[in-house]
Amino acid sequence: MTRPEAEPVVHIDDGRFRVTEWRFAPGAETGWHIHGHDYVIVPLTDGRLDLTLPDGGSAQAELRRGVPYSRRTGVAHNVVNGGAAPLAFLEVEAVESDLSARRLATLDRFLAAWNARDVDGLMDCMAESCAFHSSAGPGPEGARHEGREAVRVAYAALFDAFPQAAWTRGRHVVSGDTGLSSWRFVGTARDGGTVEVDGCDIFGFDGELIALKDSYRKNRS
Ligand code: NI
């Protein structure tokens, strides 16, 4: 027997939260789904959910109107209204925290690619439209390298200028659309001169990829 489908009504979808009201006739189901975000369920009615689980097993959950519960990303199930009356709840998904976690993972990969001297790995972290503003240059922004090809050339030139280089003490923070990485650069230049200096990057993002790397370094004197 085919079950009726639960009806989703999206109330908020602003990049920080997605709030969906799910309305279930008796016997209605969501269909099989995997949650891609941490979420909170706020029951709008009392009711009983029949859950089908990935191992083929089943479970039941009692809903009490106004009594919320939270779950982590990765939950997989089909959800059926197991009661005789209509049922509804609000699903509040924390979509931004998920994006922030993916952006932090990008910054981890980016730092690892620098230490691996892997230009392809660096470019895999950069958005389709991207820029690099290096710490030294003729303008107030340092030197501006705009577009994937210019960014790739600038990154490769840095490896070329420093046959030995390491970025240590890496730390990352992401807040909203801005990322911050601090590090200590320890390098040996082509002429044998050594550099050891603390610095940081301020990042702009396009989705989970880097749209702008804006670099700053201490000026040793
Ligand atoms: Ni679900």
Side-chain angles (χ1 to χ4, degrees):
M1 181 187 112
T2 308
R3 296 194 184 100
E5 289 180 12
E7 180 194 358
V9 179
V10 176
H11 292 286
I12 298 173
D13 191 2
D14 62 6
R16 295 189 303 142
F17 298 104
R18 185 186 305 126
V19 179
T20 307
E21 180 180 344
W22 286 91
R23 298 171 181 164
F24 296 74
E29 66 176 356
T30 57
W32 185 258
H33 60 276
I34 301 174
H35 286 266
H37 313 279
D38 291 351
Y39 65 100
V40 170
I41 297 294
V42 184
L44 300 174
T45 62
D46 292 346
R48 195 191 80 216
L49 299 179
D50 291 338
L51 307 166
T52 310
L53 305 175
D55 61 7
S58 60
Q60 289 192 343
E62 291 295 328
L63 295 187
R64 295 273 295 154
R65 179 176 169 230
V67 179
Y69 57 91
S70 64
R71 295 287 183 269
R72 292 194 182 279
T73 184
V75 170
H77 53 203
N78 183 24
V79 176
V80 180
N81 178 0
L87 175 158
F89 56 75
L90 288 177
E91 175 190 44
V92 182
E93 296 175 282
V95 295
E96 187 181 43
S97 68
D98 186 65
L99 180 58
S100 293
R102 295 206 310 273
R103 286 171 169 173
L104 277 173
T106 297
L107 297 185
D108 268 337
R109 283 191 291 124
F110 192 63
L111 188 71
W114 279 106
N115 281 310
R117 307 178 71 82
D118 176 3
V119 177
D120 288 335
L122 292 174
M123 294 312 296
D124 284 346
C125 298
M126 302 300 294
E128 201 50 47
S129 173
C130 63
F132 167 39
H133 297 174
S134 55
S135 54
E141 298 137 318
R144 297 169 53 135
H145 308 276
E146 313 272 350
R148 282 187 74 83
E149 203 41 52
V151 169
R152 169 183 282 275
V153 167
Y155 289 170
L158 222 151
F159 288 132
D160 194 52
F162 289 92
Q164 287 185 308
W167 287 259
T168 65
R169 304 185 182 199
R171 290 186 299 161
H172 314 298
V173 177
V174 171
S175 177
D177 288 328
T178 303
L180 177 70
S181 289
S182 62
W183 31 260
R184 174 163 292 178
F185 174 76
V186 183
T188 305
R190 287 224 163 270
D191 63 6
T194 58
V195 175
E196 182 171 1
V197 67
D198 287 349
C200 67
D201 290 307
I202 299 174
F203 293 102
F205 292 97
D206 178 1
E208 65 192 80
L209 297 177
I210 297 166
L212 173 65
K213 165 181 157 75
D214 192 9
S215 291
Y216 297 80
R217 298 205 322 197
K218 300 281 190 185
N219 189 8
R220 293 185 69 161
S221 57

